[in-house]
Amino acid sequence: MSATAMHDPSKTSYYVNDDLYDEIIAAFTNWQRDDLAVIDPVERDMFRRLLEQEARLLDKDQLEEWLKLFAAECVYWAPATVTGGDPRREVAISFDDRRRMEDRVYRLRTGFAWSQKPKSRTVRMVSNVEVFRTDKPNVRMVRASFQICEFRGFETRSLPGWAGYRYVEQNGRWEIQARQVNLLECDQCIRNPSIVI
């Protein structure tokens, strides 16, 4: 992913190509290693706060603000396999680029997203935050466990799992370049995942 977009990533999916897939797969392979763990409590706390901010924005249905946490060129990936694998060859619950993410938010705001009538109410818990170095000083990988409690209709359900993030420092802040959501039951029937998981 180039830092300076030559096109508007909210209009076209120009950056979703083999280079992007190769980069994402490499970033999410063999990254959770003790020798790469960041032990600086200040940096760890900064990323923990970013994840808590994201959870709050999603729970409060501030989806437009949530989108602003992402880099212009970004992906949102929810594998349907336990190992994640290669999204070019394996089924995914979601593999969205910037344009698709903005489409989802727009559709939810139209009032015609029937899967969100009635609208879900959610509470997200985030824990076990770990930060890992990469070979680039302005890129960090972050892992966190999560549990989403969703109430809709007359039912409350739980969606536990862990998420991996690739953060890049640019534009004077840390932005999410890739978010991989690993549901505990990713390869089972999860019915209608119409909320941002």
Side-chain angles (χ1 to χ4, degrees), residues 114-132:
W114 308 118
S115 61
Q116 275 298 289
K117 283 186 174 290
K119 184 183 285 291
S120 297
R121 299 198 302 255
T122 62
V123 172
R124 290 169 171 78
M125 286 163 277
V126 178
S127 69
N128 301 356
V129 177
E130 293 183 281
V131 183
F132 299 91

Side-chain angles (χ1 to χ4, degrees), residues 15-26 86-88 95:
Y15 66 91
V16 179
N17 51 36
D18 276 342
D19 290 342
L20 171 80
Y21 284 113
D22 290 343
E23 187 176 342
I24 293 299
I25 292 167
D86 184 339
R88 288 171 294 194
F95 191 88

Side-chain angles (χ1 to χ4, degrees), residues 26-39:
F28 284 89
T29 301
N30 197 28
W31 59 278
Q32 301 174 59
R33 294 169 24 200
D34 288 341
D35 60 308
L36 298 177
V38 172
I39 58 173

